[in-house]
């Protein structure tokens, strides 16, 4: 692969020009826009920059860190500056992980296209590397970062400093002995390839050596039969081991002679272990393998909390990039906190904090573009609506006009009304989860003009909110048989009070709630009444407050969704685990991080998955063990963002209690030892 890159560096016109370097404008913010001289290094894998062509250069990024290249039109920041810089001259470098994007503006359209073509070519070459080549390239990237004077050499002291940056712990005497062994040129310095060999020797996995020796008769290679034994005993390949052994030797043995003799060297063995074929993850579960025709509430759904944030929830940056990143990692439920904005345009941010603001219409446009790039199964838009009447109408207008056919705005005709639609039935659709003025009616019942108003409920509210309002929740009527409508009275509000009246409540026709609605205490805790245009877009996901499992069972429908803070959910699991399981078998629920997590940290999601909670919302901008668990879990089933719950968590009569698993559901302890943590 390295030879392919070197060949392209001498023949590809774009790469030749990139090696000469050009002046580009680096754009960090709306006000920080400075010219920098960017140049592709001779290794073809790193890009450095300087203030000017003959200035002191420093590394900017490695090609192996780049995920993709976007045009200027797709950059949130460059779009804000389109009057200053033509979008055709801009482009964005998107990195793997959580590293911020790099926005650049060229001096001409041709120059911008040259950089985009050249970078994409190199990114594609890196993507075609095998795992061993990727490891070696990663080490070379670090070497190039540590080689500050660009002389291609590092002495032992420089090497020590670099290893500390790489989080490699070492005994100094042992490291120095390996350094001397790797110094083939005997210059008391290591060149690039020498450093790669030094790093590999320093980080040699003794447990891998032992494993290899246990199956190898001479300690140097694995014969075909020895490799078959390894696949059967350690990898549990069973009946297919013989065929797989031949296939893997041909694929991972670097020596042509070894492939001809059907033997596997230590390097080939390590390449196999680091490959997807050697992964503990069952490759049969990578594509869609589960039944996708079950009701939505039978699935775990990959969900995000405060999706618009790139950092913490107190003063972090809000950006559409948060939605792009979440969607690209398989998220199927995104959150939008929307508030009144200037010039009649609703804005998205974490209310009453110092987080920055973005336009709601930009968020919707981003969802329209990226919603189904990774998964075509339904995307849920969890709408936290804090807008006044007029801007709610704007919300509905943007959702309808921008999303078009992607937006699910009516019930599915073929759907049986006693269960939610399936992911398969909703493919390519975006569902709005939010407040709704009226319940979903059977399409065959007689049309009536009267509409019921429901309790106003943010997804992050529970019954405590009502106690603050000094309003006691009344039991709603029992769900009626199909074909019979439950007549409810619309509690109206005088036009003069539209901007101050708060909770929209459902009451029977005999209710005299008008007096409560107009009470002063109600005004003090006000929210604007819900706009019918926006309400109409909520089809299968009406948010409702939670009071008790009995209340939910007697009063709520299959399309009603309650949300729980992690604290509330943990309490319910401890005190009423089985009821929680049955609740989640009947309808959807969402669990979100505590408001005390101002640093946007995460909880461990599996505790809530064990109770059957479908939408366990994570702060996806925050790396860590919790997100690793979430990413690993939703890697299965094609990365669709939907994983079918076990049957005992789908049964509304289930006896399972996650706090006290008994009978067939016995807890098992899995011990995973990390070699680096010994």
């Amino acid at each position: 692969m390295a030879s392919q890159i070197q060949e392209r560096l001498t023949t590809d016109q774009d790469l030749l020009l990139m090696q000469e370097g050009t002046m580009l404008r680096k754009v960090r913010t709306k006000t920080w826009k400075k010219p920098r001289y960017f140049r592709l290094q001779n290794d073809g894998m790193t890009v450095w920059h300087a203030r000017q062509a003959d200035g002191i250069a420093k590394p900017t990024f490695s090609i192996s860190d780049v995920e993709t290249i976007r045009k200027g039109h797709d950059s949130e920041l460059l779009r804000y500056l389109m009057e200053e810089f033509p979008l055709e001259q801009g482009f964005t470098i998107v990195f793997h992980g959580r590293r911020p994007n790099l926005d650049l503006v060229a001096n001409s359209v041709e120059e911008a296209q040259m950089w985009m073509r050249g970078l994409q070519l190199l990114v594609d070459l890196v993507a075609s590397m095998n795992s061993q080549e990727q490891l070696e390239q990663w080490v070379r990237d670090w070497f190039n970062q540590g080689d500050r004077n660009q002389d291609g050499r590092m002495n032992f002291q420089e090497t020590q400093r670099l290893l500390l940056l790489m989080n490699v712990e070492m005994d100094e005497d042992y490291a120095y002995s390996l350094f001397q062994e790797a110094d083939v040129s005997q210059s008391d310095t290591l060149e690039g390839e020498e450093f790669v060999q030094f790093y590999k020797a320093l980080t040699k996995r003794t447990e891998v050596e032992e494993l290899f020796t246990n199956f190898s008769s001479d300690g140097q290679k694995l014969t075909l039969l020895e490799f078959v034994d390894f696949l059967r005993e350690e990898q549990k390949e069973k009946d297919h081991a013989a065929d797989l052994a031949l296939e893997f030797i041909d694929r991972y043995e670097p020596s042509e002679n070894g492939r001809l003799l059907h033997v596997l060297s230590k390097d080939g063995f390590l390449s196999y272990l680091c490959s997807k074929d050697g992964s503990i993850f069952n490759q049969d579960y990578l594509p869609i393998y589960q039944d996708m025709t079950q009701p939505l509430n039978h699935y775990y759904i990959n969900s995000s909390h405060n999706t618009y944030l790139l950092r913490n929830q107190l003063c972090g940056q809000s950006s559409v990039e948060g939605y792009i990143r979440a969607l690209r990692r398989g998220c199927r439920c995104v959150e939008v906190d929307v508030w009144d904005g200037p010039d009649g345009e609703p804005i998205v941010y974490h209310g009453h904090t110092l987080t920055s603001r973005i336009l709601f219409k930009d968020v919707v446009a981003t969802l329209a573009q990226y919603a189904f790039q990774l998964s075509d199964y339904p995307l849920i838009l969890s709408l936290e609506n804090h807008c006044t009447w007029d801007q709610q109408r704007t919300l509905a207008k943007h959702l309808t006009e921008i999303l078009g056919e992607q937006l699910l705005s009516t019930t599915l005709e073929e759907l049986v009304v006693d269960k939610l639609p399936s992911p398969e039935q909703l493919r390519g659709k975006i569902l709005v989860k939010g407040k709704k003025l009226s319940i979903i009616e059977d399409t065959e019942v007689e049309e009536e003009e009267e509409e019921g108003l429901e309790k106003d409920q943010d997804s992050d509210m529970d019954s405590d909110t009502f106690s603050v309002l000094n309003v006691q929740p009344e039991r709603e009527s029992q769900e009626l048989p199909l074909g019979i409508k439950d007549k409810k009275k619309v509690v109206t509000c005088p036009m003069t009070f539209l901007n101050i009246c708060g909770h929209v409540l459902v009451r029977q026709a005999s209710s005299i709630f008008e007096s409560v609605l107009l009470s002063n205490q109600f005004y003090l805790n006000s929210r604007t009444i819900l706009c019918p245009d926006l309400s109409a877009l909520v089809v299968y996901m009406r948010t409702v407050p939670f009071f008790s499992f009995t209340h939910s069972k007697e009063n709520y429908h299959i399309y009603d969704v309650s949300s729980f803070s992690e604290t509330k959910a943990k309490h319910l699991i401890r005190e009423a685990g089985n009821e929680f399981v049955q609740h989640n078998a009947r309808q959807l629920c969402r669990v979100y991080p505590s408001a005390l997590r101002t640093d946007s940290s995460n909880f461990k999601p599996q505790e809530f998955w064990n109770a059957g909670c479908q939408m366990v919302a994570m702060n996806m901008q925050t790396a860590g063990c919790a997100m690793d668990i979430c990413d690993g879990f939703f890697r299965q089933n094609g990365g669709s963002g939907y994983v079918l719950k076990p049957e005992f968590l789908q049964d509304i009569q289930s006896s399972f209690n996650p706090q006290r698993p008994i009978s067939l559901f016995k807890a098992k302890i899995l011990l995973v030892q990390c070699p680096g943590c010994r």
Side-chain angles (χ1 to χ4, degrees):
M1 182 54 61
S3 60
Q4 290 186 40
I5 294 175
Q6 290 301 316
E7 180 183 350
R8 292 297 188 100
L9 289 173
T10 58
T11 58
D12 187 273
Q13 190 63 32
D14 292 331
L15 298 185
L16 288 170
L17 292 173
M18 289 166 61
Q19 290 176 80
E20 293 179 9
T22 63
M23 189 66 76
L24 301 172
R25 193 170 293 273
K26 183 178 179 180
V27 183
R28 284 184 180 172
T29 66
K30 298 175 185 178
T31 57
W32 198 101
K33 303 157 289 203
K34 297 185 179 181
R36 294 290 185 264
Y37 194 82
F38 285 82
R39 186 171 74 85
L40 176 67
Q41 299 300 291
N42 295 333
D43 63 356
M45 290 301 299
T46 51
V47 174
W48 290 48
H49 78 272
R51 291 177 181 268
Q52 50 195 11
D54 57 351
I56 300 175
K58 58 182 180 180
T60 307
F61 62 88
S62 167
I63 299 298
S64 56
D65 292 332
V66 178
E67 178 180 328
T68 190
I69 314 298
R70 292 189 200 143
K71 296 179 180 179
H73 293 85
D74 296 327
S75 167
E76 179 182 16
L77 179 56
L78 295 181
R79 284 199 302 268
Y80 278 115
L81 302 171
M82 59 187 302
E83 294 183 1
E84 186 175 352
F85 305 116
L87 289 176
E88 294 79 8
Q89 293 176 209
F91 60 98
T92 301
I93 299 171
V94 181
F95 299 100
H96 293 292
R98 293 168 175 81
R99 179 176 175 177
N101 296 345
L102 176 59
D103 288 298
L104 299 170
V105 179
N107 294 313
S108 67
V109 175
E110 294 74 22
E111 190 176 78
Q113 292 176 344
M114 177 266 291
W115 275 96
M116 286 190 287
R117 286 193 304 265
L119 288 172
Q120 191 61 57
L121 171 62
L122 294 173
V123 169
D124 292 341
L125 288 173
V126 169
S128 63
M129 290 181 175
N130 61 38
S131 58
Q132 193 65 25
E133 289 173 328
Q134 290 176 353
L135 173 62
E136 293 179 1
Q137 185 56 53
W138 179 79
V139 177
R140 291 191 194 96
D141 292 342
W142 276 105
F143 178 85
N144 289 328
Q145 290 187 45
D147 183 19
R148 291 289 179 174
N149 61 0
Q150 302 180 60
D151 65 352
R153 295 176 179 275
M154 295 182 67
N155 60 33
F156 183 63
Q157 287 70 32
E158 291 174 320
T159 303
Q160 281 183 298
R161 286 195 294 270
L162 181 58
L163 290 175
L164 287 174
L165 291 174
M166 298 170 72
N167 293 320
V168 176
E169 297 182 4
M170 59 181 173
D171 175 81
E172 184 172 341
D173 293 336
Y174 175 62
Y176 185 64
S177 66
L178 294 179
F179 179 91
Q180 290 179 311
E181 290 178 17
D183 182 18
V184 179
S185 61
Q186 296 184 342
S187 61
D188 290 329
T189 60
L190 297 182
E191 299 179 4
E193 287 305 314
E194 291 176 331
F195 181 79
V196 171
Q197 297 307 314
F198 166 74
Y199 177 82
K200 290 170 70 175
L202 188 67
T203 57
K204 183 181 294 184
R205 300 278 294 273
T206 55
E207 71 276 16
V208 174
E209 293 279 336
E210 292 172 3
L211 188 62
F212 184 86
T213 304
N214 288 342
F215 287 89
S216 172
S217 57
D218 62 3
Q220 300 299 314
K221 65 182 182 300
L222 291 175
T223 65
L224 179 60
L225 291 179
E226 289 170 342
F227 190 38
V228 169
D229 288 341
F230 167 78
L231 292 176
R232 282 177 176 160
E233 294 180 27
E234 295 291 336
Q235 304 296 78
K236 312 302 180 186
E237 296 291 358
K238 304 301 181 185
D239 298 336
H240 304 291
D243 294 333
L244 289 174
L246 282 170
E247 179 183 335
F248 293 158
I249 289 174
D250 189 57
R251 184 177 300 166
Y252 299 112
E253 173 53 43
S255 164
E256 182 178 352
N257 189 48
R259 292 195 297 271
L260 290 173
L261 296 175
H262 301 313
V263 297
L264 195 64
S265 64
K266 286 184 180 179
D267 285 341
F269 183 66
L270 185 59
S271 293
Y272 159 73
L273 290 180
C274 294
S275 72
K276 65 179 183 179
D277 292 314
S279 171
I280 193 173
F281 188 90
N282 190 333
Q283 300 300 304
D284 293 339
Y285 294 160
L286 275 178
I288 298 289
Y289 73 96
Q290 294 183 324
D291 178 9
M292 301 300 283
T293 63
Q294 299 290 321
L296 280 177
N297 53 306
H298 286 187
Y299 296 85
Y300 298 114
I301 303 172
N302 196 352
S303 304
S304 167
H305 176 249
N306 290 348
T307 317
Y308 46 87
L309 289 179
L310 298 184
R311 292 190 291 134
N312 66 72
Q313 62 185 38
L314 285 183
C315 55
Q317 178 188 357
S318 301
S319 171
V320 297
E321 190 64 35
Y323 292 93
I324 297 173
R325 292 179 183 180
L327 293 170
R328 291 183 69 87
R329 66 196 306 159
C331 178
R332 293 289 85 192
C333 177
V334 297
E335 183 178 23
V336 184
D337 285 314
V338 61
W339 303 76
D340 281 357
D343 304 319
E345 281 295 342
I347 55 175
V348 175
Y349 80 108
H350 198 236
H352 311 300
T353 67
L354 298 178
T355 56
S356 60
R357 278 81 160 152
I358 54 177
L359 292 175
F360 175 76
K361 64 180 180 182
D362 288 344
V363 171
V364 179
T366 300
L367 297 182
Q369 181 176 356
Y370 291 94
F372 303 108
Q373 286 192 1
L374 186 67
S375 169
D376 60 356
Y377 286 99
L379 175 67
I380 299 167
L381 194 162
S382 183
L383 190 65
E384 303 299 325
N385 171 26
H386 307 279
C387 291
T388 54
W389 182 284
D390 287 341
Q391 294 213 12
Q392 285 184 52
R393 295 182 65 184
T394 304
L395 295 179
K397 178 175 178 288
H398 289 328
L399 287 168
T400 304
E401 293 182 357
I402 297 174
L403 296 181
E405 292 298 317
Q406 292 179 319
L407 179 66
L408 184 76
S409 55
T410 59
T411 56
L412 302 180
E413 292 182 1
E414 71 276 14
L415 181 68
V416 180
V417 295
D418 62 348
K419 67 178 182 179
L420 286 169
S422 69
E424 185 64 36
Q425 290 173 304
L426 294 169
R427 288 180 87 151
K429 292 296 184 182
I430 296 176
L431 286 70
V432 176
K433 168 183 162 293
K435 311 181 190 95
K436 189 170 180 65
L437 291 173
S438 60
I439 64 174
I440 302 175
E441 299 291 348
D442 181 16
T443 55
E444 295 182 2
V445 301
E446 181 181 351
E447 292 289 335
E448 295 189 26
E449 292 298 321
E450 293 185 359
E451 289 183 326
L453 298 181
E454 65 141 340
K455 300 183 184 81
D456 184 15
Q457 159 72 8
D458 283 3
S459 71
D460 291 2
M461 286 177 55
D462 55 28
S463 56
D464 292 341
T465 305
F466 285 82
S467 64
V468 170
L469 293 175
N470 203 23
V471 177
Q472 296 299 319
E474 296 181 15
R475 173 175 290 187
E476 297 179 3
S477 62
Q478 298 283 346
E479 185 172 356
L480 299 178
L482 292 179
I484 302 177
K485 263 202 168 181
D486 180 18
K487 295 185 179 180
K488 298 181 172 32
K489 182 177 179 180
V490 178
V491 181
T492 59
C493 179
M495 293 300 294
T496 54
F497 294 123
L498 277 181
N499 288 329
I500 57 174
C501 90
H503 288 279
V504 185
L505 298 113
V506 178
R507 289 295 179 266
Q508 299 302 318
S510 60
S511 171
I512 55 170
F513 208 72
E514 289 90 333
S515 59
V516 178
L517 185 64
L518 297 178
S519 70
N520 290 332
Q521 184 162 354
F522 206 87
Y523 297 159
L524 293 174
N525 299 277
S526 62
R527 284 184 179 85
T528 305
I529 202 166
L530 186 60
C531 171
D533 291 353
L534 186 59
S535 168
L537 302 182
V538 177
V539 181
Y540 291 116
M541 299 212 170
R542 180 180 73 163
T543 57
V544 293
F546 175 81
F547 301 109
S548 70
F549 291 124
T550 300
H551 176 271
S552 295
K553 185 175 182 180
E554 293 178 351
N555 295 279
Y556 290 155
H557 304 266
I558 56 168
Y559 48 80
D560 288 329
V561 184
S562 295
S563 287
F564 307 88
S565 71
E566 61 173 293
T567 305
K568 179 74 171 179
K570 286 181 179 180
H571 173 77
L572 291 172
I573 291 172
R574 286 195 305 268
E575 301 299 323
N578 176 246
E579 287 185 272
F580 207 179
V581 167
Q582 293 181 356
H583 173 90
N584 293 329
R586 189 168 50 251
Q587 61 192 81
L588 287 162
C589 92
R590 177 176 178 266
V591 178
Y592 59 91
S594 166
L596 297 178
R597 294 182 181 272
T598 55
D599 59 349
S600 294
S601 58
N602 280 305
F603 48 61
K604 299 287 182 66
Q606 63 268 38
E607 178 179 3
F608 307 108
W609 290 336
N610 290 344
C613 301
Q614 297 89 347
M615 295 179 283
V616 180
M618 307 291 289
N619 289 312
M620 292 189 169
Q621 74 273 28
T622 306
C625 178
M627 271 312 305
D628 290 343
I629 292 172
C630 184
D631 288 339
F633 181 70
F634 284 106
R635 185 184 176 195
Q636 64 179 307
N637 207 32
S640 63
Y642 287 84
V643 173
L644 192 63
K645 296 197 294 184
E647 288 187 6
F648 64 87
L649 292 179
Q650 301 174 23
D651 182 7
I652 60 174
Q653 302 296 328
S654 176
S655 61
F656 177 72
N657 187 331
Q659 287 294 99
R660 294 179 290 278
I662 56 174
S663 184
L664 299 177
F665 315 115
K666 294 182 179 179
K668 293 184 178 180
I669 299 175
L670 175 65
L671 296 178
V672 179
Q673 186 177 36
C674 174
C677 300
R678 288 179 175 177

